Amino acid sequence: MSTRHYPSNRIVCAVFLAILVTLVAMIFLLPSENLSLGSGELLDLNEGWTVETEDRVIREASLPLELNLPPQTPYRASRPLPPDFPDQSALRIRASMQDLRILLNGQEVFSAAKPSSNLLTAPDASVWHLVDLPAGSAGKLLTLELRSPAPAFSGTINPVYAGSGVLLLTDILKTRGPVLLTSLLLVFFGALMVVISFFLKNMPDRRVLYLGMVSILVGLWIFTESRMTQLFTGNRFLVGGLAYSLLPLIPIPFILFMTSGVLVRRYRSLNALAVAFPASFFLNIFLQVTSLVPLMISIRFTLLLMVLTVILLIVFLVREARQDENKQAGKMLFYLGVLALFLFVEIAGFFFEQYDSTSLFARTGLIIFLALVSRETIRQANHMLLVRQETELLKVLAFRDIVTGGGNRAAFEKHMDQLMCPGAAPFRLILMDINDLKMINDRFGHQAGDEAIRICSRLIGEAFGASSSCFRLGGDEFACTTPVTGEDQYLVSCRKLESALREESGRLAYPLSLAMGSGVYVPGMSPDPGEFFHRTDRLMYEHKRRMKMA
């Protein structure tokens, strides 16, 4: 057989490094024009605004601006467009849960308000608006009229930019692209973990599955908070309500993960807590669609529930780590402490209406937490699989004979219990003994004796066929069971075995023969198993005595 030669690790690494250097060199050394879509600069329109409310006027204001007005208070901001404002330009402005009208010289060019119906209320949504301005807009007075039902956003005026539609969109992708990539990686990683969990049948718990579900939900939540949902869908609920709806869902698989992998003894308390989050989910949806409570208000109860859950988990982990010396709980306590720090900062910002960094701290904390927990979970899962594989191997070895590779006495006894149960079919038991094995060991060595044992085991199996089950009981003793109970067929197999033994003896330095005895067992009719085995064993020794006298 030819030996395969594989390249060394150094050679493989050197080749890949050379490829990478070549690609980088092509990027920076080859001449190229700017081929990116939406190349150019955005026109910044955030200076020189006149802002009017019901009781005051602010001149030369800069955007973004916060006026802190009561909900549903109308306000407006105006400024002239530059004299050289290019035709075929569009405006980009983000309406933070606001109705918006855009006017040029008092003429409406765009209007957006939350739709309503008699039965259901659509969620308030913070959305991008790209508004194509008519030709000849240069020098005209641009006016924004806004109104918001949300206390947090009533009085907010976000930055305004102008440019081509492609440029305005690609600018969003450039600024929010890393967040989108992060969310996609988390969803992919979570989906991979879920798929892998279905193949880990030997895992004693479902921590890999639950961790994958947490990663998927976190990834989707980060995506919905990335302000890029509108690039893929125009559905108001997906744009404005999905992020808040996902929040009470994330803790559910997280709690199940904790009870499955770490806080196993606390599963009753934590599972009861886990039920509160689906209830919070449906309550938030109900309050939103019925207009009873705005989502921005009802979601605060979910956030408080999340805080209480984190605190409770920390208390449980501290007890497990101190009282029970649970090292795994100690590690998880550190990981959860890191997450709690980021979450508390995020939630505090939400309650104090600091929305500019919405999801930034939570996103950072969740990514760090998932990275730490995933590393630990993969390590533990690998250890569990190795232990389970070793256990399964020991189970196999417990019923396997080391010399022949076939079944041993323990396997034979288990097999006999199955054959002798009430209602089982009749079978023939053949007991065999290698003649003069001690002489072979003494004169030719134990390697020759082991060779004789292996040869006899192979020939016994070949003689009595695939339907038989053969075992080495120990030393020079073998047992074989077969469903063939007819005497004539049994004698044909015996002659076949004797012929094969004589043929093997001609190639060996020692003679090889077997003494045999057999009997047919019929469940419910034959003597008790112990007596049946004794009779068959006696027949084998009688045959052995006759062979020595011959």
Side-chain angles (χ1 to χ4, degrees):
M1 179 183 291
S2 60
T3 303
R4 294 183 179 180
H5 297 282
Y6 296 98
S8 67
N9 291 339
R10 290 184 178 180
I11 294 176
V12 173
C13 292
V15 171
F16 275 100
L17 181 60
I19 293 173
L20 181 61
V21 170
T22 302
L23 292 176
V24 173
M26 295 300 99
I27 293 172
F28 290 101
L29 298 181
L30 291 181
S32 175
E33 70 277 31
N34 185 359
L35 299 177
S36 60
L37 295 175
S39 58
E41 293 186 3
L42 294 177
L43 181 59
D44 189 326
L45 299 178
N46 295 308
E47 302 295 334
W49 290 84
T50 299
V51 179
E52 302 175 66
T53 66
E54 294 176 339
D55 56 0
R56 60 174 169 162
V57 176
I58 304 174
R59 302 187 185 279
E60 296 300 321
S62 299
L63 305 184
L65 183 65
E66 293 288 343
L67 301 175
N68 299 318
L69 301 174
Q72 298 294 4
T73 300
Y75 55 103
R76 58 192 296 164
S78 303
R79 64 151 288 171
L81 291 173
D84 57 349
F85 188 81
D87 285 342
Q88 298 181 341
S89 291
L91 292 181
R92 188 189 73 196
I93 183 171
R94 184 165 179 82
S96 299
M97 297 187 181
Q98 299 160 321
D99 295 340
L100 171 66
R101 290 182 69 215
I102 298 178
L103 304 95
L104 279 178
N105 284 351
Q107 298 295 317
E108 180 181 297
V109 294
F110 177 79
S111 176
K114 185 177 75 170
S116 60
S117 71
N118 295 327
L119 297 177
L120 301 177
T121 301
D124 294 317
S126 296
V127 298
W128 295 106
H129 292 298
L130 296 183
V131 181
D132 292 323
L133 296 182
S137 297
K140 291 185 177 180
L141 183 66
L142 173 66
T143 302
L144 309 177
E145 293 185 352
L146 301 111
R147 180 196 304 260
S148 175
F153 298 114
S154 184
T156 297
I157 308 176
N158 290 312
V160 179
Y161 294 93
S164 67
V166 174
L167 177 60
L168 294 170
L169 288 175
T170 53
D171 180 67
I172 297 176
L173 284 171
K174 289 177 182 178
T175 55
R176 311 299 297 179
V179 180
L180 175 62
L181 180 61
T182 301
S183 66
L184 293 177
L185 289 175
L186 285 172
V187 171
F188 173 78
F189 172 76
L192 183 63
M193 296 285 278
V194 170
V195 172
I196 290 175
S197 69
F198 287 101
F199 293 94
L200 298 179
K201 298 180 180 179
N202 292 328
M203 280 287 290
D205 54 54
R206 299 179 179 177
R207 68 181 70 183
V208 175
L209 171 64
Y210 296 141
L211 182 62
M213 294 171 66
V214 172
S215 184
I216 291 174
L217 289 173
V218 169
L220 291 175
W221 176 74
I222 290 176
F223 169 70
T224 56
E225 283 288 350
S226 68
R227 301 182 180 182
M228 298 185 66
T229 313
Q230 265 184 280
L231 300 182
F232 304 92
T233 178
N235 183 276
R236 174 171 279 268
F237 174 74
L238 293 178
V239 172
L242 185 58
Y244 296 103
S245 300
L246 287 172
L247 270 179
L249 301 181
I250 295 174
I252 300 172
F254 176 69
I255 292 174
L256 295 175
F257 169 81
M258 296 295 289
T259 58
S260 179
V262 185
L263 300 173
V264 179
R265 294 187 300 176
R266 312 283 182 174
Y267 76 95
R268 292 183 183 274
S269 301
L270 292 177
N271 285 350
L273 181 62
V275 175
F277 286 97
S280 175
F281 167 79
F282 288 109
L283 179 62
N284 287 335
I285 295 295
F286 173 77
L287 293 175
Q288 171 62 40
V289 300
T290 57
S291 299
L292 295 176
V293 179
L295 193 60
M296 291 287 290
I297 302 299
S298 64
I299 200 65
R300 297 181 179 221
F301 297 102
T302 300
L303 295 175
L304 288 174
L305 185 60
M306 293 174 68
V307 171
L308 292 176
T309 300
V310 171
I311 294 173
L312 185 62
L313 287 173
I314 290 175
V315 171
F316 284 160
L317 288 171
V318 169
R319 290 181 179 178
E320 290 279 338
R322 289 184 176 179
Q323 298 177 4
D324 303 324
E325 296 183 355
N326 186 336
K327 293 182 179 180
Q328 191 174 351
K331 290 183 180 179
M332 192 59 65
L333 179 62
F334 172 73
Y335 302 155
L336 191 61
V338 174
L339 174 62
L341 178 63
F342 283 93
L343 286 182
F344 290 159
V345 173
E346 176 78 26
I347 292 172
F350 185 88
F351 277 95
F352 286 102
E353 300 183 356
Q354 301 298 316
Y355 301 114
D356 290 339
S357 59
T358 298
S359 83
L360 173 62
F361 293 102
R363 181 169 71 242
T364 304
L366 284 167
I367 291 173
I368 295 174
F369 176 79
L370 282 173
L372 294 172
V373 173
S374 298
R375 176 179 173 274
E376 183 67 18
T377 301
I378 293 171
R379 188 189 67 79
Q380 292 173 1
N382 184 57
H383 175 71
M384 288 181 182
L385 290 177
L386 289 175
V387 171
R388 184 60 62 91
Q389 288 174 355
E390 291 176 0
T391 303
E392 295 296 328
L393 178 60
L394 290 175
K395 287 181 180 179
V396 171
L397 293 177
F399 295 100
R400 179 174 295 176
D401 180 67
I402 298 176
V403 178
T404 65
N408 58 12
R409 179 176 285 275
F412 170 72
E413 292 175 354
K414 182 179 180 181
H415 180 66
M416 290 295 288
D417 290 340
Q418 295 172 348
L419 291 179
M420 291 180 168
C421 65
F427 66 92
R428 179 180 290 276
L429 171 65
I430 308 109
L431 296 178
M432 290 158 279
D433 189 283
I434 302 176
N435 293 317
D436 301 319
L437 181 62
K438 184 176 184 304
M439 179 273 295
I440 297 172
N441 284 325
D442 292 342
R443 292 183 58 184
F444 301 97
H446 285 279
Q447 287 186 346
D450 290 345
E451 180 187 35
I453 291 171
R454 284 191 290 270
I455 292 172
C456 288
S457 176
R458 174 174 57 83
L459 296 180
I460 291 169
E462 293 175 355
F464 290 98
S467 61
S468 65
S469 298
C470 301
F471 308 87
R472 182 188 175 212
L473 304 184
D476 55 4
E477 298 180 11
F478 289 88
C480 184
T481 64
T482 175
V484 179
T485 58
E487 190 70 18
D488 291 340
Q489 293 171 296
Y490 166 64
L491 293 176
V492 168
S493 297
C494 288
R495 287 193 289 269
K496 181 179 179 181
L497 177 57
E498 290 170 354
S499 175
L501 288 168
R502 285 194 298 270
E503 185 177 346
E504 285 289 339
S505 296
R507 293 194 289 266
L508 299 171
Y510 48 83
L512 198 58
S513 63
L514 288 167
M516 295 184 289
S518 78
V520 176
Y521 184 86
V522 180
M525 297 179 60
S526 297
D528 66 85
E531 177 62 23
F532 171 72
F533 186 87
H534 180 67
R535 287 185 185 182
T536 307
D537 191 50
R538 190 167 59 246
L539 291 172
M540 184 269 292
Y541 276 104
E542 288 178 3
H543 183 222
K544 191 177 191 74
R545 181 175 54 81
R546 291 196 302 270
M547 293 179 73
K548 287 184 178 181
M549 294 176 60

